[in-house]
Amino acid sequence: MPDLTLEIAGLKLDNPVMVASGTFGYAREFESYMDLNRLGAIITKTVTLEPRPGNPPPRIAETPAGMLNSIGLPNVGVERFCSEKLPYLTALSTRIVVNVAGKTGEDFVRVVERLDSIERIDAFELNYSCPNVKQGGLSFSADPVLAQQVTRAVRQATRKPIFAKLTPNVTSISDIGLAVQDGGADAVSAINTFVGMSIDVRTRRPVLSTVTGGLSGPAIRPLALAKVYELCKRLDIPVIAIGGIMSAEDALEFFFAGAKAVQVGTANFVDPDAAIKIIDGLDHHCRVLGVDRFTELIGTLDTGL
Ligand code: RRO
């Protein structure tokens, strides 16, 4: 049996496949499709200090080889998250990572402080990169100074591992990556969605209520791969890759580029147990390649340069 285990930012994972925030609800929604404990980690939908209704519909649209969303961070707020969502999650045995966002740096700190004493929460993912909200959202990961300040403030509020989730909608994602690394992030999750839009040519109206949204799915995979590769070359902390991963072969591209783990997002909407199939596929590829430990494959890209 190939060994798929790894340690990332001090967290021991059974395998390197996580489910991405916002694509897996609070896990219970997927319980009939799989043994949730087989997942390397579950990243929750973003939690904010106060409840949010999200954006008006339409907030999802299909695109060629992808999906546009403008969900707008709907969630029940941290208090109801603790009473209604966490009990189910904390009864699981896999790693639980809570994705957190806020309008201000202070909001991030307050949510993390509220959750920090809950032992079964294994790590926080800081969502600096929602493209669909007016306040907060992209501003945190488009500005290296701000991204570093917020990371540093959260770092002082918790000893749990912190993943900083980065936007690709910047000139240099690795400049932002270096800033959050200096601020104390233990890993970066890359990437969130690309800003995109679509117009209904019959009505001349935008397909999404907010005009623009976030593009995800296989359409963005080569773009994501280039961003992940850039981050892996410049950062010392681990990179957790996200971006249109639909199969084990897709995941392998990111591992060869240097990612330590992957997150499966849009694929969950197409095939609810996509992440499990990817775990099984990685096992299969390790056998075929004659590799005992999956981690031996990380960063083995041969550029020929
Ligand atoms: O809820 C959303 O609209 C959303 C979020 Br928080 C995010 O981080 N990325 C995205 O594409 N949509």
Side-chain angles (χ1 to χ4, degrees):
M1 281 277 282
D3 181 358
L4 296 187
T5 63
L6 76 157
E7 194 170 310
I8 193 162
L11 274 189
K12 289 196 169 62
L13 307 183
D14 289 344
N15 65 68
V17 181
M18 312 178 179
V19 282
S21 176
T23 67
F24 209 73
Y26 300 96
R28 190 174 215 153
E29 297 87 333
F30 284 75
E31 69 180 2
S32 60
Y33 296 103
M34 69 182 77
D35 174 2
L36 294 165
N37 291 321
R38 286 203 59 207
L39 297 167
I42 293 170
I43 324 269
T44 69
K45 171 66 185 160
T46 309
V47 180
T48 53
L49 200 53
E50 305 295 341
R52 292 177 52 94
N55 292 334
R59 50 192 202 177
I60 296 261
E62 272 191 58
T63 67
M67 188 183 107
L68 275 171
N69 86 81
S70 178
I71 308 294
L73 255 171
N75 79 98
V76 295
V78 71
E79 281 313 321
R80 280 178 59 202
F81 171 74
C82 288
S83 59
E84 295 172 18
K85 311 293 183 189
L86 258 183
Y88 182 84
L89 286 163
T90 56
L92 298 171
S93 63
T94 184
R95 303 287 82 75
I96 303 298
V97 181
V98 178
N99 183 296
V100 173
K103 290 184 192 144
T104 62
E106 176 64 22
D107 278 3
F108 277 89
V109 171
R110 285 179 64 189
V111 176
V112 167
E113 278 175 348
R114 172 69 184 84
L115 298 172
D116 190 48
S117 61
I118 301 167
E119 217 162 287
R120 265 301 282 120
I121 294 176
D122 294 294
F124 295 109
E125 182 172 74
L126 306 181
N127 192 356
Y128 292 157
S129 43
C130 177
N132 303 324
V133 291
K134 289 200 183 80
Q135 263 185 305
L138 281 189
S139 55
F140 288 108
S141 67
D143 176 346
V145 175
L146 202 55
Q148 188 174 94
Q149 275 171 1
V150 180
T151 309
R152 190 161 282 144
V154 173
R155 178 72 290 160
Q156 280 159 10
T158 183
R159 296 176 71 176
K160 294 187 197 287
I162 297 172
F163 307 164
K165 186 164 180 178
L166 304 182
T167 179
N169 302 296
V170 288
T171 308
S172 170
I173 195 169
S174 55
D175 283 353
I176 310 289
L178 287 171
V180 298
Q181 175 176 283
D182 288 347
D186 299 285
V188 293
S189 304
I191 53 170
N192 207 317
T193 50
F194 281 86
V195 172
M197 68 184 273
S198 184
I199 297 171
D200 181 333
V201 292
R202 285 168 298 122
T203 61
R204 296 193 199 196
R205 292 185 59 79
V207 170
L208 294 174
S209 71
T210 52
V211 184
T212 60
L215 181 66
S216 62
I220 69 166
R221 193 170 56 244
L223 302 168
L225 187 60
K227 302 284 184 202
V228 166
Y229 181 55
E230 175 186 332
L231 286 163
C232 291
K233 282 195 294 188
R234 288 191 73 197
L235 267 55
D236 298 322
I237 56 177
V239 177
I240 303 167
I242 323 164
I245 296 172
M246 310 297 279
S247 68
E249 290 76 16
D250 297 344
L252 278 178
E253 288 194 64
F254 287 93
F255 291 127
F256 292 153
K260 295 275 187 314
V262 295
Q263 293 182 18
V264 177
T266 303
N268 300 321
F269 297 119
V270 181
D271 179 3
D273 72 346
I276 299 292
K277 289 179 180 143
I278 291 171
I279 296 166
D280 292 339
L282 289 178
D283 180 281
H284 169 77
H285 279 284
C286 284
R287 289 170 200 265
V288 171
L289 294 168
V291 166
D292 293 332
R293 289 184 57 83
F294 140 82
T295 49
E296 290 166 37
L297 296 173
I298 293 172
T300 57
L301 170 72
D302 176 5
T303 60
L305 298 174

